[in-house]
């Protein structure tokens, strides 16, 4: 019997706006308008400024550990614009701040989260998103389930879930990819391949030449894009969302990007990566290339830049103030949302702030002390 | 009123609720066409369709994680984990996500789902098909844990679980699946989660148990002298535990034996003993006794009846506690 090929595949790489700010006009057709380019640039700039103030809050002891989004903002804004606010779900990791803001999450919620305050996760009514996911790779299954529910309920809804290159080593990543394709759920798997999972580079993380090829195992449409190119991040997400809406099931996007900052404020990337590598990526910064493009098209000026910088500072300072000035939570808070209705013993623990039993009631047999109160 | 086994009662209750509430979907390994390895879901896919009784890929974490998403997305999923021994891969999704979602979002996002899991030993099953991990989940805040031992209770507790706004683990003692039939009313009824049942009233000693050992305890009661009056309590809900019913009984009897299949150390028996000494200290006539599985790995089935708290061992524990 002659051998035959049973499977062949190739994966496209999409770049529309290169690092010099040069646009491939043909590929850019029907993607984002000039106005939207300016809007996305503003969103990225505000997010970058948000990172700055978050970093300062952490360094000055007013906030806990914080993971900067710096360098990866084009992903959040491109995907955020391609998805419909109030209709589509975002199931994020923790480097998609701008997308969450664009879809209605009050900005100070993210600061509250990292200030150790669960009120930052209390997603407002009408905001379709899950909170930041701290464990790696567990949220993709939730996204798949939410999308599956939308399909069962015949709702016109797409779910996008975000994760890093490291997350694709987790079993739940493969479980989610498998479930999503088997159920043909309208979900977009958006991998921000930022080259590093804390200190482990992509080459050690996986043997695969690309992350995108992992989707081939599930026969899921897949693409690799320049994740620092707002045109590419928008177009890839929009195309995937269109496919999902039309019943085409899930899609995979590998967005090649770079974590310009440390993993978090608790990390020091100088311990494991060369400055030369970082420098090379600095020139691919999405903000720089988008600005170059806008300037080339006459959409931007130094004056507008100065104005934006001032506005961004004002916005994030106000956001920081809101987060810092929130009233302190009360200990009862950590009981109140354990169950829809508190079990009796838990209600007692809440009321007394004790787990010991003596003195809880004056008629307790054998009691020789006065009943204690919390 | 139909006479049903535990399997039939669960099956007909699932059908009842799927008929009533189109948000209810079943998902798991082999639950569809095959009707589940214990046939608990038999006929339901034919009746309700492949969208509502779903044969999933063989991935427990995937089942649990996507069920969480289904619940967030507005459905009332009932994932089945085929055996309690396969809960391991799903543990992270269950304990770190399903259980925490309400509190970490301060009620903005909730996970109303019922996880069905066959549990316990005594059926000559292979390795990792006979464990009793209920204490692990009772120790995981955010979950509720129930284990009915009779067809009647199975229906009432299952309807309560499915309609509960929080995740409920519904353990099904597989040793009881087909061991007897009883009358199960056709009409809709629930049994409140968190309420134990006094199986037989008595005044000399209290025996607290749940799941399949209820019947081993009944066997022990039959073997005791006629003048010994035992109060047997079927806990039915593991968390939140019904300490009122237990305390009321032990304050009356002054003696208690807790019986469970799970290992002794840090098992629910330890929790119950501790609660009893808090609530009944001045009433106690004897140390609370635990008659449980040993602190060993559950043996292969040739020795499983030596591991499990069978009737003679329970009888001995009762007699010794009475004689103290």
């Amino acid at each position: 019997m002659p051998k035959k090929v049973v499977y062949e595949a190739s994966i496209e790489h999409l770049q529309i706006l290169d690092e010099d700010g040069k646009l491939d006009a043909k590929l850019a057709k029907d993607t984002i308008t000039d106005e939207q380019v300016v809007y996305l640039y503003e969103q990225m700039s505000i997010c970058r400024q948000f990172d700055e103030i978050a970093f300062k809050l952490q360094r000055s002891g007013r906030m806990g550990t914080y993971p900067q989004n710096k360098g990866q903002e084009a992903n959040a804004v491109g995907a955020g614009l391609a998805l419909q606010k109030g209709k589509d779900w975002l199931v994020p990791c923790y480097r998609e701040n701008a997308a969450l803001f664009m879809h209605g999450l009050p900005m100070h919620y993210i600061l509250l989260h990292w200030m150790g305050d669960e009120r930052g996760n209390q997603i407002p009514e009408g905001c379709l998103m899950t909170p930041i996911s701290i464990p790696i790779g567990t949220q993709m299954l939730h996204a798949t389930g939410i999308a599956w529910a939308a399909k069962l309920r015949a709702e016109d809804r797409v779910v996008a879930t975000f994760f890093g290159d490291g997350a694709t080593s987790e079993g739940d990543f493969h479980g989610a990819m498998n479930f999503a394709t088997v159920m043909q759920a309208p979900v977009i798997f958006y991998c921000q391949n930022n080259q590093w999972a804390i200190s482990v580079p992509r080459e050690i993380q996986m043997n695969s030449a690309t992350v995108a090829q992992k989707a081939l195992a599930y026969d899921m449409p897949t693409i690799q894009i320049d994740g620092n190119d707002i045109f590419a991040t928008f177009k890839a997400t929009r195309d995937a969302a269109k496919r999902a809406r039309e019943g085409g099931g899930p899609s995979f996007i590998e967005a090649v990007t770079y974590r310009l900052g440390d993993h978090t404020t608790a990390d020091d990337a100088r311990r494991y990566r060369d400055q030369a590598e970082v420098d090379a990526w600095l020139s691919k910064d999405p903000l720089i290339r988008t600005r170059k493009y806008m300037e080339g098209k006459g959409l931007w000026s130094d004056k507008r830049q100065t104005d934006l910088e001032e506005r961004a500072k004002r916005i994030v300072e106000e956001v920081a103030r809101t987060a810092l000035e929130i009233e302190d939570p009360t200990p009862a808070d950590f009981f109140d949302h354990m169950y829809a209705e508190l079990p009796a013993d838990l209600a007692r623990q809440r009321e007394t702030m004790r787990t010991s039993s003596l003195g809880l009631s004056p008629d307790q047999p054998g009691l020789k002390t006065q009943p204690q109160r919390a | 009123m139909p006479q049903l086994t535990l399997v039939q009662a669960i099956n007909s209750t699932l059908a009842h609720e799927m008929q009533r509430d189109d948000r209810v979907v079943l998902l798991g390994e082999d639950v569809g066409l095959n009707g589940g390895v214990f046939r608990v879901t038999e006929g339901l896919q034919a009746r309700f369709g492949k969208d509502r009784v779903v044969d999933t890929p063989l991935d427990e974490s995937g089942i649990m994680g996507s069920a969480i998403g289904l619940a967030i997305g507005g459905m009332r999923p009932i994932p089945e984990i085929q055996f309690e021994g396969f809960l391991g891969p799903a543990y992270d999704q269950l304990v770190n996500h399903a259980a925490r979602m309400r509190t970490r979002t301060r009620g903005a996002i909730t996970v109303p789902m019922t996880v069905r899991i066959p549990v316990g030993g005594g059926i000559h099953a292979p390795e990792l098909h006979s464990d009793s991990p209920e204490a692990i989940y009772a120790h995981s805040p955010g979950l509720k844990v129930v284990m009915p031992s009779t067809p009647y209770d199975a229906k009432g507790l299952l309807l309560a679980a499915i309609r509960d706004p929080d995740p409920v683990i519904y353990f099904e003692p597989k040793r009881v699946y087909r061991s007897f039939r009883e009358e199960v009313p056709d009409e809709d009824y629930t049994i409140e989660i968190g309420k134990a049942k006094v199986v037989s009233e008595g005044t000399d000693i209290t025996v607290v148990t749940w799941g399949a050992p209820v019947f081993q305890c009944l066997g022990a009661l039959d073997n005791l002298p006629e003048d010994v009056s035992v109060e047997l309590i079927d806990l039915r809900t593991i968390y939140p535990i019904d300490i009122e019913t237990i305390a009321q009984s032990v304050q009356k009897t002054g003696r208690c034996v807790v019986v469970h299949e799970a290992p002794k150390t840090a098992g629910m028996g330890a929790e119950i003993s501790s609660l009893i000494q808090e609530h009944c200290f001045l009433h106690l006539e004897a140390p609370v006794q635990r008659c449980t599985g040993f602190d060993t790995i559950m043996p292969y089935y040739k020795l499983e009846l030596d591991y499990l708290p069978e009737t003679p061992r329970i009888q001995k524990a009762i007699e010794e506690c009475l004689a103290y």
Side-chain angles (χ1 to χ4, degrees):
Chain A
M1 290 289 232
K3 288 182 183 171
K4 57 180 181 181
V5 175
V6 294
Y7 191 83
E8 271 184 312
S10 61
I11 296 171
E12 285 183 352
H13 177 92
L14 176 70
Q15 185 193 54
I16 303 177
L17 180 69
D18 74 12
E19 57 187 279
D20 298 322
K22 268 208 273 330
L23 189 77
D24 183 323
K26 206 170 150 196
L27 287 173
K29 194 169 177 299
D30 299 329
T31 54
I32 43 182
T33 63
D34 288 350
E35 257 175 35
Q36 286 171 326
V37 171
V38 172
Y39 170 66
L40 295 189
Y41 180 71
E42 289 171 346
Q43 292 305 308
M44 290 195 292
S45 303
I46 293 166
C47 188
R48 184 69 62 92
Q49 192 60 43
F50 183 87
D51 263 4
E52 289 297 315
I53 201 148
F55 187 80
K56 282 180 192 155
L57 287 170
Q58 193 279 332
R59 283 294 187 262
S60 59
R62 289 176 291 172
M63 192 169 80
T65 301
Y66 175 79
Q68 289 191 302
N69 289 199
K70 191 177 175 183
Q72 302 179 217
E73 297 92 339
N75 297 288
V77 298
L81 184 67
L83 297 162
Q84 296 183 31
K85 180 181 170 183
K87 186 170 173 184
D88 298 334
W89 274 80
L90 302 177
V91 180
C93 167
Y94 43 72
R95 290 195 218 277
E96 294 82 26
N97 285 345
L100 305 182
F101 301 154
M102 288 166 70
H103 279 243
L105 188 75
M107 292 174 75
H108 70 280
Y109 275 43
I110 296 295
L111 294 182
L112 285 177
H113 175 102
W114 297 107
M115 285 174 173
D117 192 325
E118 281 160 3
R119 284 173 290 187
N121 285 348
Q122 196 172 1
I123 309 298
E125 187 81 30
C127 257
L128 295 184
M129 60 186 70
T130 52
I132 283 174
S133 180
I134 298 297
I136 298 303
T138 51
Q139 77 277 22
M140 297 176 259
L141 277 168
H142 308 160
T144 300
I146 295 169
W148 183 7
K151 187 184 173 195
L152 289 173
R153 292 160 66 101
E155 294 169 340
D156 177 21
R157 226 186 264 296
V158 169
V159 182
T161 183
F162 300 86
F163 49 92
D165 39 308
T168 68
S169 296
E170 290 279 5
D172 275 357
F173 162 74
H174 296 278
M177 298 281 283
N178 192 36
F179 266 73
T181 41
V182 169
M183 307 307 167
Q184 284 295 291
V187 56
I188 301 166
F189 291 85
Y190 195 112
C191 177
Q192 291 210 54
N193 171 10
N194 70 5
Q195 317 302 325
W196 291 90
I198 305 189
S199 67
V200 176
R202 203 199 59 81
E203 310 84 75
I204 295 179
Q205 191 66 242
M206 64 192 75
N207 187 50
S208 326
T210 68
V211 184
Q213 74 200 61
K214 296 191 183 193
L216 294 176
Y218 305 97
D219 265 353
M220 189 188 292
T222 183
I223 189 170
Q224 187 189 66
I225 64 169
D226 182 339
N228 288 1
D229 163 2
I230 53 172
F231 289 85
T233 59
F234 172 83
K235 181 176 162 41
T237 312
R238 187 203 55 191
D239 292 352
K242 182 166 183 287
R243 189 180 302 121
R245 278 187 218 291
E246 289 169 355
S251 301
F252 190 89
I253 298 168
E254 176 195 357
V256 179
T257 182
Y258 195 76
R259 194 191 80 206
L260 285 177
D262 296 329
H263 166 64
T264 66
T265 48
D267 177 43
D268 179 2
R270 289 172 303 182
R271 291 167 58 86
Y272 51 78
R273 68 181 186 187
D274 293 336
Q275 190 54 42
E277 179 187 300
V278 181
D279 291 343
W281 277 95
L282 276 170
S283 61
K284 298 180 188 173
D285 187 324
L287 270 74
I288 295 172
R289 76 171 75 172
T290 309
R291 185 175 168 183
K292 275 184 191 163
Y293 168 74
M294 293 191 305
E295 285 169 348
K297 272 205 99 180
L299 299 168
W300 204 245
S301 64
D302 289 349
K303 167 83 170 69
R304 288 195 72 170
Q305 181 67 25
T306 316
D307 288 352
L308 172 62
E309 282 168 14
E310 275 170 23
R311 182 158 74 92
K313 267 197 187 117
R314 249 192 345 266
I315 289 170
V316 300
E317 274 165 17
E318 179 60 29
V319 164
R321 200 172 310 120
T322 308
L324 288 166
E325 286 175 358
I326 192 168
E327 74 281 8
D328 284 339
T330 66
D333 282 8
F334 61 72
F335 291 97
D336 285 343
H337 304 286
M338 280 306 304
Y339 297 92
E341 206 176 314
L342 278 194
D345 189 60
L346 207 46
R348 196 152 40 238
Q349 292 176 30
R350 178 190 185 278
E351 192 197 332
T352 62
M353 285 310 288
R354 308 171 59 209
T355 54
S356 53
S357 65
L358 285 182
L360 284 183
S361 151
D363 51 7
Q364 194 168 20
L367 192 69
K368 290 188 176 157
T369 55
Q370 285 302 305
Q372 309 160 15
R373 300 307 297 180
Chain B
M1 238 187 307
Q3 294 270 337
L4 302 180
T5 62
L6 190 72
V7 163
Q8 291 166 332
I10 297 169
N11 179 281
S12 67
T13 306
L14 289 169
H16 172 97
E17 197 64 355
M18 291 183 78
Q19 187 70 41
R20 201 188 69 89
D21 183 350
D22 63 10
R23 298 171 303 169
V24 175
V25 288
L26 312 185
L27 64 153
E29 295 155 7
D30 308 296
V31 300
L33 195 57
N34 194 36
V37 293
F38 288 104
R39 308 288 177 264
V40 175
T41 52
E42 185 151 42
L44 297 179
Q45 191 183 64
R47 181 167 164 195
F48 294 101
K50 286 182 175 174
D51 276 351
R52 295 189 65 198
V53 184
V54 185
D55 281 320
T56 66
L58 208 167
D59 173 9
E60 287 79 14
S61 187
I63 293 167
M64 201 66 78
S66 57
I68 290 169
L70 283 168
I72 294 171
M75 305 301 285
R76 290 271 173 164
I78 307 182
E80 176 188 292
I81 299 297
Q82 203 161 66
F83 287 88
E84 78 294 312
F86 309 158
L87 264 170
Y91 179 86
D92 178 54
Q93 287 292 344
L94 187 52
V95 170
N96 294 335
H97 297 282
R100 297 173 75 104
M101 195 59 84
R102 177 186 289 278
T103 188
R104 69 190 284 264
T105 62
R106 294 173 58 86
I109 300 174
T110 57
V111 182
M113 71 171 180
T114 302
V115 186
R116 290 186 39 250
I117 311 161
V119 74
I123 64 155
H124 285 208
E127 187 172 23
L128 280 169
H129 285 61
S130 301
D131 285 344
S132 293
E134 65 271 19
I136 297 171
Y137 300 96
H139 190 66
S140 304
L143 300 175
K144 295 179 181 177
V145 184
V146 301
M147 195 189 297
S149 71
T150 67
Y152 180 90
D153 287 352
K155 175 170 181 176
L157 276 170
L158 184 54
L159 290 181
I162 300 170
R163 296 170 193 175
D164 196 282
D166 287 302
V168 179
I169 302 188
Y170 184 90
F171 281 120
E172 302 168 2
K174 49 183 102 91
R175 197 177 184 179
V176 188
Y177 264 154
R178 291 181 170 79
S179 66
F180 74 104
R181 291 167 189 272
E182 73 176 359
E183 288 190 348
V184 178
D186 284 326
E187 57 263 29
D188 195 295
Y189 66 94
T190 57
I191 291 171
E192 192 183 340
I193 292 173
K195 293 289 176 209
K197 176 174 71 177
V198 177
V199 179
S200 69
E201 291 191 17
T203 52
D204 297 336
I205 188 167
T206 304
V207 175
V208 179
T209 191
W210 54 91
V214 167
F215 302 96
Q216 273 61 53
C217 290
L218 282 170
L221 265 55
D222 285 344
N223 294 341
L224 289 168
E226 269 186 22
D227 61 338
V228 174
S229 169
V230 180
E231 183 138 304
L232 178 63
I233 294 174
D234 179 352
L235 204 53
R236 301 195 294 196
T237 294
I238 314 300
Y239 185 87
I241 196 166
D242 181 2
I243 185 57
E244 280 72 25
T245 298
I246 298 170
Q248 213 168 38
S249 176
V250 178
Q251 283 167 10
K252 176 174 66 177
T253 62
R255 298 168 198 272
C256 183
V257 178
V258 187
V259 180
H260 59 65
E261 291 190 14
K264 183 182 79 157
T265 299
M268 282 307 295
E271 177 61 27
I272 292 167
S273 303
S274 189
L275 286 169
I276 288 172
Q277 64 86 18
E278 281 179 3
H279 288 261
C280 315
F281 188 71
L282 296 177
H283 299 270
L284 284 177
E285 305 281 347
V288 176
Q289 295 300 295
R290 286 176 284 172
C291 182
T292 69
F294 296 98
D295 289 338
T296 66
I297 302 294
M298 176 80 193
Y300 283 18
Y301 71 76
K302 276 187 180 174
L303 290 174
E304 69 176 338
L305 296 186
D306 296 283
Y307 173 91
L308 295 169
E310 290 297 293
T311 294
R313 192 145 68 89
I314 297 167
Q315 187 184 335
K316 194 158 182 251
I318 294 172
E319 286 168 349
E320 282 170 347
C321 191
L322 280 167
Y324 182 84

